[in-house]
């Protein structure tokens, strides 16, 4: 009887502890996780669960940091389910004082990969053996695009994701991808240096070779071929990262995710009350047009999302600005501030040496 009483007391304590933990996690996140807190706790040693917790935390950290700068605005938090498996949480702020549109999305989806999506991956050198033409997959990530109102505050984008595919013989292929990049309307060298240095520090904790490699990859990836210019002043970008080990890559991704608030928020604070002219606002609108062109024509994540059955179009196109402009044959004056940023977009710079 004594042993049973002791066991019951211990079970009650454990349950109370679980409830407390659950309450704390709920307060920490923007919404309950897609996989459910109990399921995440049950599988907490598995990398998939740890990655889901990381993307949930990253979403909440960024949303809180943005709300602190734009207290009159609030995020619409939208949890959605995907009938093919999984779901996501979209947090979108629109028409604030500081931010015209800011979105921070989390998605955790699973199911069978379409032939078209698998083909896109194969074209990147992944050889995948399907069973009856189908590949079971699991993909999760956090993705954010922030479009400020003031032309002196840059647009910022980041995305960190994990992908797992099960082949016909049961072997699993996995990889991580992601990056953080900055798209200013006007060039401010001090901001560019701060942004790149913060990302370099995150990379250097793991290997000093990573930042130069992923900085170049970023410059090459965000290239609008038909314009001959980059989308912005870069940052870091990597994909298909599957070595040295799952744990080491996860720790690297975690460092990068933890750098998104410190690399960007100080820049917003510094410029969100700068004065600007109607001409500067017009230039911002034209640059936004370029942003849209890249995202719709080249962006791999957008293309993958549009090809994935049951994907949520509103969340995929969250990256597009509320307003943008396309003027016929617009050319900035020589030696103007507008021409200065174009020069850097055509010829990327090394910001940290």
């Amino acid at each position: 009887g004594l042993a049973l009483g002791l066991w019951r007391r211990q079970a009650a304590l454990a349950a109370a502890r679980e409830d407390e933990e659950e309450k704390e996690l709920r307060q920490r996140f923007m919404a309950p996780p897609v996989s459910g807190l109990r399921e995440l706790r049950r599988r907490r040693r598995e990398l998939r669960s740890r990655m889901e917790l990381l993307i949930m935390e990253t979403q909440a950290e960024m949303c809180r940091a943005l709300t602190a700068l734009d207290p009159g605005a609030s995020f619409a938090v939208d949890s959605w389910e995907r009938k093919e498996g999984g779901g996501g949480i979209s947090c979108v702020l629109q028409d604030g004082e500081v931010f015209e549109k800011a979105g921070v999305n989390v998605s955790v989806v699973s199911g069978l990969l379409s032939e078209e999506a698998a083909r896109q991956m194969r074209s990147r050198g992944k050889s995948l053996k399907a069973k009856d033409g189908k590949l079971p997959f699991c993909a999760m990530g956090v993705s954010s695009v922030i479009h400020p109102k003031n032309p002196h505050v840059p647009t910022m984008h980041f995305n960190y994701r994990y992908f797992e595919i099960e082949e016909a013989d049961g072997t699993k292929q996995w990889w991580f991808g992601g990056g953080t990049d900055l798209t200013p309307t006007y060039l401010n060298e001090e901001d560019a240096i701060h942004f790149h240095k913060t990302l370099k520090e995150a990379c250097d904790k793991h290997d000093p070779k990573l930042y130069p490699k992923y900085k170049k990859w970023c410059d090459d990836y965000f290239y609008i071929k038909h314009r001959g210019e980059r989308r912005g002043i870069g940052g870091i970008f990597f994909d298909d990262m599957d070595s040295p080990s799952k744990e080491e890559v996860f720790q690297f991704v975690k460092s990068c995710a933890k750098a998104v608030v410190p690399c960007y928020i100080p820049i917003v604070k510094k410029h969100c009350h700068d004065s600007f002219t109607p001409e500067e606002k017009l230039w911002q609108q034209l640059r936004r047009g370029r942003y849209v062109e890249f995202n719709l024509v080249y962006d791999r994540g957008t293309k993958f999302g549009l090809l994935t059955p049951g994907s949520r179009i509103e969340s995929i196109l969250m990256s597009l600005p509320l307003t943008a402009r396309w003027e016929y044959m617009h050319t900035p004056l020589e030696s103007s501030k507008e021409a200065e940023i174009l020069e850097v977009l055509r010829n990327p710079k090394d910001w940290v040496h």
Side-chain angles (χ1 to χ4, degrees):
L2 194 65
L4 187 63
L6 189 64
W7 178 82
R8 280 196 179 128
R9 220 172 20 255
Q10 280 173 334
L13 277 171
R17 214 170 27 245
E18 266 198 19
D19 288 345
E20 202 50 47
E21 244 181 75
E22 198 154 320
K23 210 159 80 187
E24 189 206 327
L25 280 177
R26 272 178 199 280
Q27 284 164 350
R28 230 164 71 196
F29 299 150
M30 298 301 286
V34 175
S35 300
L37 287 167
R38 282 176 197 255
E39 182 61 16
L40 285 178
R41 191 178 296 108
R42 200 173 62 77
R43 295 189 287 118
R44 65 170 160 255
R45 284 192 180 82
E46 285 181 32
L47 193 122
R48 272 167 67 164
S49 298
R50 290 162 67 206
M51 182 65 180
E52 189 170 343
L53 287 169
L54 173 65
I55 61 180
M56 292 294 298
E57 272 166 24
T58 307
Q59 180 184 50
E61 277 166 21
M62 185 48 95
C63 288
R64 288 198 185 109
L66 296 173
T67 310
L69 292 175
D70 205 341
S74 62
F75 275 93
V77 179
D78 185 9
S79 294
W80 49 273
E81 276 181 31
R82 177 175 171 271
K83 68 176 195 298
E84 292 83 353
I89 301 143
S90 298
C91 297
V92 182
L93 179 158
Q94 285 185 147
D95 267 331
E97 287 287 304
V98 175
F99 303 107
E100 186 177 288
K101 187 176 178 194
V104 194
N105 286 354
V106 153
S107 67
V108 180
V109 298
S110 56
L112 296 169
L113 204 57
S114 71
E115 270 297 301
E116 179 56 32
R119 212 174 7 257
Q120 230 191 62
M121 285 182 182
R122 283 200 188 94
S123 72
R124 303 196 330 241
K126 290 265 168 214
S127 59
L128 303 165
K129 295 180 283 293
K131 188 180 184 178
D132 309 323
K134 294 274 190 281
L135 283 161
F137 82 101
C138 151
M140 62 180 71
V142 57
S143 179
S144 175
V145 178
I146 297 148
H147 293 292
K149 281 202 162 158
N150 193 311
H152 298 293
V153 182
T155 282
M156 186 255 217
H157 156 260
F158 72 86
N159 168 279
Y160 289 98
R161 58 194 180 276
Y162 173 68
F163 216 96
E164 203 175 84
I165 280 181
E166 195 175 322
E167 295 192 79
D169 61 2
T171 56
K172 282 185 179 166
Q173 286 212 27
W174 58 269
W175 62 91
F176 288 87
T180 304
D181 61 280
L182 198 68
T183 305
T185 300
Y186 288 97
L187 185 64
N188 180 304
E189 297 224 348
E190 219 176 74
D191 297 345
I193 292 164
H194 164 79
F195 184 80
H196 277 269
K197 271 201 162 149
T198 311
L199 294 177
K200 182 181 184 296
E201 280 162 23
C203 293
D204 285 356
K205 279 184 204 159
H206 301 270
D207 184 344
K209 290 199 281 289
L210 295 176
Y211 170 77
K213 181 182 170 184
Y214 294 155
K215 190 255 183 214
K216 185 187 181 314
W217 197 341
C218 189
D219 289 333
D220 293 344
Y221 177 74
F222 290 105
Y223 183 59
I224 310 170
K225 288 191 194 74
H226 59 269
R227 299 284 188 184
E229 59 191 47
R230 272 91 199 145
R231 187 177 79 176
I233 59 158
I236 55 170
F237 178 85
F238 58 92
D239 208 354
D240 303 332
M241 193 175 182
D242 57 6
S243 67
S245 72
K246 217 180 219 184
E247 185 58 34
E248 282 167 286
V249 184
F250 173 69
Q251 291 302 334
F252 167 68
V253 168
K254 190 174 181 175
S255 295
C256 295
K258 294 286 172 208
V260 293
V261 169
C263 75
Y264 181 60
I265 295 298
I267 299 174
V268 183
K269 273 187 182 154
K270 187 172 144 190
H271 297 291
C272 62
H273 300 299
D274 288 5
S275 61
F276 58 89
T277 65
E279 290 74 26
E280 288 170 334
K281 188 69 190 169
L282 170 71
W283 179 244
Q284 181 194 43
Q285 294 286 291
L286 292 165
R287 297 315 308 162
R288 293 256 186 86
R290 297 284 206 268
Y291 203 93
V292 173
E293 286 175 31
F294 177 84
N295 281 30
L296 294 182
V297 179
Y298 299 112
D299 188 68
R300 208 184 271 173
T302 305
K303 280 157 82 170
F304 179 80
L306 297 174
L307 291 169
T308 305
S311 58
R312 194 162 186 273
I313 303 304
E314 285 299 317
S315 297
I316 293 162
L317 298 182
M318 164 216 84
S319 63
L320 302 184
L322 217 48
T323 60
R325 190 176 170 102
W326 285 266
E327 273 189 23
Y328 185 68
M329 302 294 277
H330 183 282
T331 311
L333 293 170
E334 238 176 278
S335 307
S336 63
K337 293 294 254 173
E338 290 77 13
E340 180 190 32
I341 185 82
L342 276 183
E343 175 54 34
V344 172
L345 299 178
R346 286 171 186 154
N347 303 292
K349 273 181 76 164
D350 175 356
W351 298 103
V352 293
H353 294 105

